[in-house]
Amino acid sequence: CQNLAYVNFEDLTNLTTIGGSAFQSTAIPEVNLSNTSVTTIGAGAFQYDDDLTTVIIPTTVTTLRDHAFGGCDSLVNFNIPVGSSLTTIEDSAFWSTGFTTLDLSNATELSNIGGSAIQKCVNLQTIKFPTTDSLTIGGYAFVDNVNMTSIDLSGVGSLTLSGPRTFAESGLQSIDLSNTNLTSIPDQAFYGCSSLTTVTLPTGLTSIGDSAFVNSGLQSIDLSGTSVTSIPYQAFWFCGSLSDVKLPAGITSIGTSAFCRCTSLTEFDFNSLTSLTSIGASAFEGSGITEADLSQTKLTTIMDGAFHYNDSLTTVILPTTVTTIKPQSFNYCEKLTTLNIPENSDLTTIGSNAFEGTGLTELDLSNASSLNNIANGAFGSCGSLTMVTLPSSINSVPTGAFN
C-alpha cells in the first residue's frame, strides 16, 4: 500500500500485536502507538517506509522483531517512554534508519540487541544506553555507522558482545568499557575504526578475538590490568598510530601478525612478559621496534618472519630457552647490528634467510653449544659482516649460509 499515508493508531486501545510486514513500504509519516497495548512489533512491520519520521511506542512493547523499521531512512525520532518494558531489539530492527541520536535510556529492561540491529545508520552520531544489569549485543550490531563518534555503555553491568564486527568501520573515537563486566572482545570487533584512538577495558577481560583492532586509529592500548593471556591473530594489524602497548605479565603467546605494520610502535616491553613462550609468524613485521630484548621470556621458537622488514630494529637479545629461529625471522632488518646469544643457550636451528640482509658486523654463536643447523642463506647478503665465531657443535655449513 504505497499510498497509505495515515493510520489512526491512537484509537486502537486494544491493539496488542502488529504482525510481520503489516505496513511495509507504506507512506505513513508518524506512528503513535502510545495509547495501544502493543507488546510486539513484527518482523518488517514498517520496513522500507521512506516517509516515516517519528515512532512513539507504549510502555507495553517488549520486542521489536527483525527488520521492524529496517530501511526507514527518514526515521529520526523513536520515543521510548519512562517505564518501558522493551527487552529485545532483534536483528536489523533499525538497519539503515535516519537517526542522528538514538536514545534507549528509558529501556531499563533492555537485555538483547541483535545482529546488525543498528547497522548502516550513516547519520547516527551517538547512542544513549540505559542503566541495566545485563546486555547482550550481537555481531555487526553497529557496523558502518561512519558518523557514530561516541557510545556510552557505562550503565551496563554485565556486557556480552556475542558476535563479530560489533563496531567495525564505525566512526567511534573512543569507548570506555571499564565499568562493564565484559570478558571477551569478539573477532574484528573494532575492525577498520580508523578514528578510534582510545579504548578503556575492564579488568575482567580474558580474551581478545582475531583481528579485533585491525587498521584502527589506536594510539595506546593498556591490557596490563586484565587477565588476557594471548594476543591473537592480527589483533592490532596495521595500527599505524599505535605507540604504547602495556600487556599483562601472564601473556603466553603473541599471535601471527599481531602487531604487523605498527610503524609507530618503537618500544615494546618484552622483559615483563616472563610467561611468553611463543611469538607468531610476522608478529612484528614492519613495526617500529628498535630493540627486542627477549632475555626474560620463555620463548622456544621465533616463527617465520616474526620481525622481518623491521627498518628500526638494532638489537636482539635471545633467552636461553630459544631452540629454533624460523626462516626469515629477522631478514632485511637492515639496522640490526647486535645479536646477543646468552651462555647456556638451547639454540639448535637457525632457519633459511633468518638474518638475511641485516646490518650485523660481528656474529658470535659460540654460546649456542647445541647449534647444529644453520640453513641456506641464514646470513646471506649481510654485507657488513666481518667476523663470525661458530660453536664446536657445527659439523657443516651449507652452501650459501653466509653468501
Side-chain angles (χ1 to χ4, degrees):
C1 298
Q2 295 177 349
N3 295 319
L4 180 60
Y6 178 73
V7 175
N8 183 10
F9 290 103
E10 295 179 53
D11 291 341
L12 305 179
T13 55
N14 294 319
L15 184 67
T16 59
T17 302
I18 296 176
S21 303
F23 298 95
Q24 183 174 323
S25 299
T26 58
I28 301 170
E30 180 175 320
V31 174
N32 186 350
L33 303 171
S34 59
N35 290 335
T36 72
S37 300
V38 168
T39 58
T40 301
I41 298 176
F46 296 90
Q47 186 175 210
Y48 298 126
D49 181 343
D50 295 335
D51 295 282
L52 186 61
T53 63
T54 301
V55 174
I56 304 171
I57 65 171
T59 58
T60 51
V61 166
T62 61
T63 306
L64 305 179
R65 295 291 187 200
D66 65 276
H67 295 85
F69 299 94
C72 295
D73 52 15
S74 297
L75 180 58
V76 293
N77 300 308
F78 194 86
N79 188 302
I80 299 173
V82 174
S84 171
S85 301
L86 184 64
T87 62
T88 304
I89 300 173
E90 289 190 355
D91 297 357
S92 303
F94 292 112
W95 166 81
S96 195
T97 50
F99 298 123
T100 56
T101 298
L102 180 58
D103 189 352
L104 302 173
S105 58
N106 286 334
T108 55
E109 301 297 317
L110 186 64
S111 60
N112 185 53
I113 296 176
S116 302
I118 311 170
Q119 180 183 357
K120 290 187 178 179
C121 299
V122 296
N123 297 319
L124 185 62
Q125 298 174 14
T126 188
I127 301 174
K128 298 177 181 178
F129 283 88
T131 298
T132 184
D133 292 336
S134 177
L135 181 62
T136 297
I137 299 175
Y140 297 82
F142 310 107
V143 165
D144 294 330
N145 293 338
V146 294
N147 289 304
M148 187 181 73
T149 58
S150 65
I151 192 166
D152 184 1
L153 291 161
S154 61
V156 177
S158 179
L159 177 64
T160 301
L161 304 180
S162 64
R165 296 179 68 90
T166 318
F167 305 97
E169 297 179 285
S170 69
L172 278 179
Q173 296 176 355
S174 65
I175 187 167
D176 186 351
L177 301 169
S178 60
N179 289 330
T180 71
N181 291 323
L182 183 69
T183 60
S184 179
I185 294 175
D187 295 350
Q188 301 182 351
F190 298 95
Y191 184 103
C193 292
S194 58
S195 298
L196 182 66
T197 60
T198 305
V199 174
T200 308
L201 299 170
T203 56
L205 190 70
T206 60
S207 67
I208 296 173
D210 291 350
S211 307
F213 296 95
V214 163
N215 202 26
S216 71
L218 281 179
Q219 296 174 357
S220 63
I221 187 74
D222 187 355
L223 295 165
S224 59
T226 73
S227 299
V228 170
T229 57
S230 65
I231 306 299
Y233 172 75
Q234 289 189 345
F236 300 96
W237 187 72
F238 264 89
C239 291
S241 298
L242 185 62
S243 61
D244 185 17
V245 174
K246 294 182 175 66
L247 300 181
I251 288 287
T252 60
S253 66
I254 296 174
T256 298
S257 301
F259 295 96
C260 179
R261 302 293 171 179
C262 293
T263 53
S264 298
L265 187 61
T266 58
E267 296 183 4
F268 197 93
D269 185 10
F270 290 102
N271 272 336
S272 66
L273 307 182
T274 55
S275 298
L276 185 65
T277 59
S278 173
I279 292 179
S282 300
F284 295 93
E285 175 190 335
S287 71
I289 292 174
T290 58
E291 179 178 275
D293 183 352
L294 306 170
S295 59
Q296 302 304 308
T297 71
K298 293 181 172 64
L299 284 173
T300 57
T301 302
I302 299 175
M303 294 300 291
D304 306 63
F307 293 87
H308 74 158
Y309 294 108
N310 186 328
D311 295 335
S312 301
L313 187 64
T314 64
T315 303
V316 173
I317 305 172
L318 298 179
T320 58
T321 50
V322 163
T323 62
T324 305
I325 299 173
K326 290 280 191 176
Q328 301 181 344
S329 291
F330 298 93
N331 74 328
Y332 291 101
C333 295
E334 296 177 351
K335 294 182 181 178
L336 179 59
T337 56
T338 302
L339 173 62
N340 187 309
I341 297 175
E343 292 183 5
N344 302 314
S345 171
D346 294 332
L347 185 64
T348 63
T349 302
I350 299 175
S352 59
N353 309 105
F355 293 92
E356 178 187 10
T358 58
L360 292 170
T361 56
E362 295 185 5
L363 178 63
D364 186 354
L365 300 174
S366 59
N367 285 333
S369 57
S370 298
L371 183 65
N372 55 34
N373 183 15
I374 299 176
N376 185 45
F379 297 92
S381 300
C382 293
S384 299
L385 189 59
T386 60
M387 181 178 292
V388 176
T389 305
L390 298 176
S392 58
S393 55
I394 291 291
N395 294 319
S396 63
V397 178
T399 302
F402 295 90
N403 184 24

